[in-house]
Amino acid sequence: MDKIDELIIAALKDDSRVSLAQLARQVHKSRTAVESRVQKLIEKGVILGFTINVAEGDGTLQAAFLMLTLNGSHCHLVYPMLQQFSQVVHAYSLFGDVDMMLDVRYRSFEELMVFKESLLKIEHVKEVVVNPVLKAWR
């Protein structure tokens, strides 16, 4: 990865919707050269995806991390049960005092508490600790 690739990545981090033509002007290369570089960065796994930031508002989902403690090493049994919940964005199996961590989205705190109670009804789930996200940085 060279300086041009770093400039391309910085520009895409700033605005992932920037056109290839505009990106080419920013890094002083041809559009085809920039398109080729972006494609190579994707193929190498440097660029994993393109995202957007959404302004907070009434319809915006809030985020939380839920820490699950299980009765035994049963992440492989609990995970299939988690797939039924639309709130779960990612589920992680962890090493340590916490067995699983869930990245979830919810509309209201009440909805989050109902979700927590649903998780506690799953066999092998012993405890759920809720950590609502106050602020996220990029």
Side-chain angles (χ1 to χ4, degrees):
M1 201 163 80
D2 63 10
K3 185 68 176 168
I4 300 299
D5 289 339
E6 291 172 5
L7 290 171
I8 289 170
I9 290 170
L12 289 171
K13 281 183 179 179
D14 187 47
D15 180 4
S16 64
R17 293 186 60 208
V18 66
S19 70
L20 287 172
Q22 178 61 33
L23 190 54
R25 285 191 291 277
Q26 289 178 0
V27 300
H28 307 289
K29 295 288 178 188
S30 72
R31 192 198 64 76
T32 54
V34 168
E35 182 178 21
S36 174
R37 283 175 174 263
V38 168
Q39 188 58 42
K40 285 178 185 171
L41 290 168
I42 291 169
E43 289 168 3
K44 290 180 182 177
V46 175
I47 295 176
L48 299 175
F50 299 87
T51 63
I52 61 168
N53 293 327
V54 179
E56 292 185 31
D58 294 336
T60 301
L61 295 176
Q62 299 175 60
F65 291 99
L66 279 61
M67 307 305 190
L68 280 61
T69 304
L70 308 180
N71 293 316
S73 300
H74 297 293
C75 293
H76 66 288
L77 299 175
V78 172
Y79 176 70
M81 304 300 291
L82 297 175
Q83 291 179 302
Q84 68 180 315
F85 296 106
S86 62
Q87 295 94 333
V88 177
V89 177
H90 289 27
Y92 304 94
S93 175
L94 304 176
F95 178 81
D97 294 334
V98 174
D99 298 300
M100 294 186 85
M101 180 176 72
L102 306 181
D103 179 3
V104 302
R105 299 296 180 273
Y106 63 97
R107 293 189 194 332
S108 68
F109 189 73
E110 293 78 19
E111 177 188 333
L112 183 60
M113 292 299 99
V114 169
F115 177 59
K116 175 186 175 182
E117 292 305 315
S118 298
L119 293 175
L120 287 168
K121 292 177 184 174
I122 296 175
E123 186 179 4
H124 306 299
V125 175
K126 179 174 146 184
E127 181 182 13
V128 177
V129 176
V130 177
N131 299 284
V133 173
L134 300 177
K135 180 162 180 67
W137 288 276
R138 204 176 127 144

